[in-house]
C-alpha cells in the first residue's frame, strides 16, 4: 500500500493544480495564454489520469481514475498545499506553476530511472512537459518581475504569498523508503538553482520563511480545496453509478 | 452562424466599373484573392466584418462551454472539453490573423467586440445549464457551424479559405465528440436521458436559427454570393443541416421539439415548423439571455489582463534598450 499512497499523493498534486489552471480557460490576459494555460492544465490532468489508474491497480480494490478523483473528500486528498492555492492573479498562477514544475523536472528525471516500469513510463512523458512549463512560466516570471512597477509589485506579492508552501514539496511523506520513487528531499538543490537563476533575471529574491505551512499530505488543507472539490465532483456525485 | 456576420454588412464600393468588372472576372475564374491584391473596398470591408465576427464567435464561444470544465463528470471528459475549448481559442487566433491580412489589428477588433460595435454569433448568448449542453453544443451548434464553414474553405479570399480548412477538421471532430456525449447520456440512466432531451429541447431552435433569416429576407446574400464569400443560401444550408440531423436524433431515441417536422417525399427533405423570428432578431440585436454576461466576462478578462500585457511590452522594451546599450 505504501507505493499506492505515494502515487496517490502525486496524482492529487497534478489533478488539483491542473484543475486550478483550467479555471483560467477563456479568462486569460491574452489569447496566447488562453491557449497556453489550458495546455499546461491538460498536461497535468493527463499525468494525473495515468497516476490514478496506476494507484487503482496497485490498490487492487477495483477503483478506477474517476473513483479516486471524484469520490474522495478533502480530508482524503493528499495534494501539496501549494497546488490548491487559488489563482488570485496571473502572477500568483504563473509563480505557483513555476515552483511546482521546477520541482517536478528533477523529480521526473530521477523517476525515469526507477525500477518500476509504469513509473518510468509516466516520468518520461511528464518530464518533457514539465521542462516546457519551467520555460514558459520562468519567462513570465522574468517579464513580470522586470516589466512595470505594478507587475514587479504583484510578482513580489506572489512570492511572499506562495513561498511559505515551498518546504512541503521536499517532505518525503508517503514516498519515504519507497525504492520505486526518488527522494523528494534530494530535489532541493536543483530546485533552488532553477529558481535562483530565474529570480536573478527577474530582480526577485527567495524570502526566508520562518513559519512554513504544511499539512496537505495528511489531508489537512486550506479552506479553498473543499470548494474546489465540491464544484469538481458535483455532477459525478449527483448521479451515482452513472457512465459518462 | 457566421452568415450573421453579413447582417448589416456595407458592401458599397467606389471603384470604377472597369475595376469591379476585372475583379469579378478573377472571382468567376475561381482565382484566390490574396492580401496584396487590389480589391474593392466593399469586398475588404465585408470580409473584415465576417472574419472578425467569426473570430469573436470563437472567443466568446469559449465561455458557455468553459462553464462546465470545472464540473466535467469524468477525467476523460474534463480533458476532452478542455482541449476542445482550447481549440476554439486557437481558431480565434488564426481567424484574427486572417483578418489582420486585410489591414485591421487584433487589438482594434477586440476593442470593437468589447464596446459592442462588433458582434459575435448570438447562439453563445444562450446559457449552458447542464452537462448535456456540452454534448448538444458539439452535436448541433458545431454541426450547424460546419454546414456554414465547409463552403468557406472555398471562399474567394485565400487566407480565410486556408484558415477554414483546419478549423473545419477540428470542428468536425468536435461535432462527433458532442454526438458521442449525447449518445452516452441517451443510453444512460433515466436522469441522464432526461438531461439529454431537455438540452435538445433548448438548443434545437437556436441552432436552426444559426443559418440566419430566410433567403427572401436576407439582404446581403446577393453581393456576397457574387463575390464567392458565401456559396450557399441560408435556407439551403439550413435544409442540409436538418436533413442530416433528424436521423441522428432518431438513432438516439430523442425527440426533436418540432411537431411540424415531417419528411417531404417530393423535395426529398424534411419540412419544419415556423421559426420564431422575433426571438431571432431579439437575440441578434444583443438581448439574448446571457448577452450582457458574455461581454462582461470578456471585458473583465481584458481589463484584468492589462497589467500583464503592459508588463510584457515594458520588459521587451527594456531588453531591447539593454541590448542596444551593450552593442
Amino acid at each position: 500500500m505504501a507505493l499506492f499512497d505515494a502515487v496517490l499523493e502525486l496524482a492529487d498534486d497534478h489533478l488539483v493544480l491542473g484543475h486550478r489552471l483550467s479555471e483560467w480557460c477563456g479568462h486569460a490576459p491574452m489569447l496566447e495564454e488562453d491557449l497556453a494555460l489550458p495546455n499546461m492544465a491538460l498536461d497535468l490532468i493527463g499525468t494525473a489520469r495515468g497516476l490514478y489508474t496506476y494507484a487503482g491497480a496497485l490498490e487492487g480494490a477495483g477503483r478506477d481514475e474517476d473513483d479516486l478523483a471524484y469520490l474522495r473528500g478533502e480530508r482524503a486528498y493528499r495534494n501539496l498545499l501549494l497546488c490548491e492555492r487559488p489563482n488570485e492573479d496571473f502572477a500568483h498562477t504563473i509563480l505557483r506553476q513555476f515552483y511546482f514544475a521546477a520541482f517536478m523536472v528533477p523529480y521526473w528525471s530521477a523517476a525515469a530511472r526507477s525500477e518500476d516500469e509504469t513509473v518510468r513510463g509516466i516520468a518520461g512523458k511528464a518530464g518533457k512537459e514539465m521542462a516546457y512549463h519551467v520555460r514558459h512560466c520562468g519567462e513570465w516570471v522574468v517579464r513580470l518581475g522586470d516589466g512595470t512597477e505594478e507587475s514587479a509589485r504583484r510578482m513580489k506579492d506572489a512570492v511572499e504569498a506562495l513561498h511559505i508552501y515551498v518546504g512541503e514539496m521536499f517532505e518525503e511523506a508517503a514516498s519515504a523508503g519507497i525504492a520505486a520513487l526518488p527522494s523528494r528531499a534530494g530535489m532541493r538543490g536543483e530546485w533552488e538553482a532553477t529558481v535562483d537563476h530565474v529570480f536573478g533575471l527577474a530582480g526577485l529574491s527567495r524570502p526566508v520563511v520562518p513559519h512554513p505551512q504544511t499539512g496537505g499530505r495528511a489531508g489537512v488543507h486550506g479552506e479553498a480545496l473543499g470548494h474546489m472539490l465540491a464544484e469538481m465532483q458535483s455532477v459525478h456525485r449527483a448521479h451515482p453509478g452513472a457512465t459518462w | 452562424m457566421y452568415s450573421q456576420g453579413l447582417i448589416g454588412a456595407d458592401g458599397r464600393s467606389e471603384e470604377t466599373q472597369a475595376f469591379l468588372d476585372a475583379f469579378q472576372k478573377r472571382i468567376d475564374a475561381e482565382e484566390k484573392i490574396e492580401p496584396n491584391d487590389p480589391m474593392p473596398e466593399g469586398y475588404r470591408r465585408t470580409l473584415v466584418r465576417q472574419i472578425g465576427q467569426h473570430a469573436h464567435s470563437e472567443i466568446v464561444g469559449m465561455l458557455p462551454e468553459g462553464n462546465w470544465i470545472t464540473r466535467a463528470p469524468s477525467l476523460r471528459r474534463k480533458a476532452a472539453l478542455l482541449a476542445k475549448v482550447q481549440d476554439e481559442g486557437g481558431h480565434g487566433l488564426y481567424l484574427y490573423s486572417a483578418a489582420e491580412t486585410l489591414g485591421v489589428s487584433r487589438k482594434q477588433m477586440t476593442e470593437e467586440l468589447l464596446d459592442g460595435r462588433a458582434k459575435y454569433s448570438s447562439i453563445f448568448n444562450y446559457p449552458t445549464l447542464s452537462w448535456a449542453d456540452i454534448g448538444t453544443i458539439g452535436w448541433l451548434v458545431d454541426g450547424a457551424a460546419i454546414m456554414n464553414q465547409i463552403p468557406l474553405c472555398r471562399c474567394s479570399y485565400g487566407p480565410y479559405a486556408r484558415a477554414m480548412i483546419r478549423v473545419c477538421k477540428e470542428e468536425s471532430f468536435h461535432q462527433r465528440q458532442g454526438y458521442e456525449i449525447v449518445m452516452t447520456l441517451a443510453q444512460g440512466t433515466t436522469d441522464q436521458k432526461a438531461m439529454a432531451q431537455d438540452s435538445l429541447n433548448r438548443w434545437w431552435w437556436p441552432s436552426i436559427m444559426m443559418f440566419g433569416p430566410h433567403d427572401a429576407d436576407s439582404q446581403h446574400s446577393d453581393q456576397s454570393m457574387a463575390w464567392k464569400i458565401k456559396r450557399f443560401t441560408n435556407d439551403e444550408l439550413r435544409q442540409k443541416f436538418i436533413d442530416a440531423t433528424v436521423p441522428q436524433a432518431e438513432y438516439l431515441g430523442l425527440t426533436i421539439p418540432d411537431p411540424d417536422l415531417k419528411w417531404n417525399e417530393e423535395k426529398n427533405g424534411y419540412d419544419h415548423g415556423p421559426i420564431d423570428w422575433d426571438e431571432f432578431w431579439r437575440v441578434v440585436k444583443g438581448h439574448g439571455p446571457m448577452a450582457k454576461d458574455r461581454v462582461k466576462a470578456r471585458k473583465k478578462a481584458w481589463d484584468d489582463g492589462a497589467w500583464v500585457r503592459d508588463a510584457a511590452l515594458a520588459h521587451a522594451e527594456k531588453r531591447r534598450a539593454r541590448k542596444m546599450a551593450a552593442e
Side-chain angles (χ1 to χ4, degrees), chain B residues 207-220:
Chain B
S207 301
I208 294 301
M209 290 178 200
M210 282 172 65
F211 296 93
H214 283 309
D215 297 344
D217 307 317
S218 184
Q219 300 164 19
H220 302 281

Side-chain angles (χ1 to χ4, degrees), chain A residues 26 32 70 146 231 236 244, chain B residues 70 72 77 106 298 315 318:
Chain A
E32 283 76 1
Y70 288 90
D146 179 62
E231 181 176 348
H236 188 97
W244 301 99
Chain B
T70 55
R77 293 297 186 196
R106 198 209 303 182
R298 285 314 307 162
H315 170 68
K318 283 183 188 176

Side-chain angles (χ1 to χ4, degrees), chain B residues 161-226:
Chain B
R162 289 189 288 272
M164 289 316 298
I165 291 170
R166 176 160 173 186
V167 171
C168 282
K169 280 183 189 162
E170 293 181 350
E171 291 294 359
S172 138
F173 182 74
H174 298 166
Q175 199 260 349
R176 279 175 284 163
Q177 194 174 59
Y179 189 69
E180 197 257 333
I181 290 176
V182 181
M183 191 173 357
T184 306
L185 297 174
Q187 293 169 352
T189 65
T190 311
D191 280 353
Q192 284 177 305
K193 190 165 181 187
M195 195 193 287
Q197 182 63 56
D198 168 63
S199 182
L200 177 58
N201 293 348
R202 284 180 289 110
W203 289 94
W204 174 255
W205 289 106
S207 301
I208 294 301
M209 290 178 200
M210 282 172 65
F211 296 93
H214 283 309
D215 297 344
D217 307 317
S218 184
Q219 300 164 19
H220 302 281
S221 279
D222 291 350
Q223 183 61 73
S224 298
M225 296 275 273

